[in-house]
PDB file of all heavy atoms in Angstrom:
ATOM      1  N   LYS A  10     -12.727   5.465   4.513  1.00 81.00           N
ATOM      2  CA  LYS A  10     -13.230   4.087   4.476  1.00 81.00           C
ATOM      3  C   LYS A  10     -12.090   3.080   4.529  1.00 81.00           C
ATOM      4  O   LYS A  10     -12.193   2.032   5.161  1.00 81.00           O
ATOM      5  CB  LYS A  10     -14.076   3.854   3.217  1.00 81.00           C
ATOM      6  CG  LYS A  10     -15.414   4.538   3.263  1.00 81.00           C
ATOM      7  CD  LYS A  10     -16.218   4.271   2.011  1.00 81.00           C
ATOM      8  CE  LYS A  10     -17.531   5.020   2.050  1.00 81.00           C
ATOM      9  NZ  LYS A  10     -18.264   4.897   0.802  1.00 81.00           N
ATOM     10  N   GLY A  95       4.450   4.267 -15.587  1.00 80.00           N
ATOM     11  CA  GLY A  95       3.401   3.926 -14.622  1.00 80.00           C
ATOM     12  C   GLY A  95       2.834   2.531 -14.821  1.00 80.00           C
ATOM     13  O   GLY A  95       1.848   2.170 -14.182  1.00 80.00           O
ATOM     14  N   LEU A 102       7.487  -8.582 -16.657  1.00 82.00           N
ATOM     15  CA  LEU A 102       7.280  -9.278 -15.386  1.00 82.00           C
ATOM     16  C   LEU A 102       7.478 -10.785 -15.564  1.00 82.00           C
ATOM     17  O   LEU A 102       8.132 -11.429 -14.742  1.00 82.00           O
ATOM     18  CB  LEU A 102       5.891  -8.975 -14.823  1.00 82.00           C
ATOM     19  CG  LEU A 102       5.604  -9.513 -13.433  1.00 82.00           C
ATOM     20  CD1 LEU A 102       6.615  -8.992 -12.414  1.00 82.00           C
ATOM     21  CD2 LEU A 102       4.192  -9.132 -12.991  1.00 82.00           C
ATOM     22  N   GLN A 126      -5.890  -7.079 -13.702  1.00 86.00           N
ATOM     23  CA  GLN A 126      -7.329  -7.125 -13.443  1.00 86.00           C
ATOM     24  C   GLN A 126      -8.172  -6.582 -14.590  1.00 86.00           C
ATOM     25  O   GLN A 126      -9.279  -7.042 -14.818  1.00 86.00           O
ATOM     26  CB  GLN A 126      -7.646  -6.374 -12.153  1.00 86.00           C
ATOM     27  CG  GLN A 126      -7.016  -7.026 -10.947  1.00 86.00           C
ATOM     28  CD  GLN A 126      -7.123  -6.174  -9.691  1.00 86.00           C
ATOM     29  OE1 GLN A 126      -7.588  -5.039  -9.724  1.00 86.00           O
ATOM     30  NE2 GLN A 126      -6.687  -6.721  -8.581  1.00 86.00           N
TER      31      GLN A 126
END
Side-chain angles (χ1 to χ4, degrees):
K10 288 181 183 174
L102 186 58
Q126 296 170 355

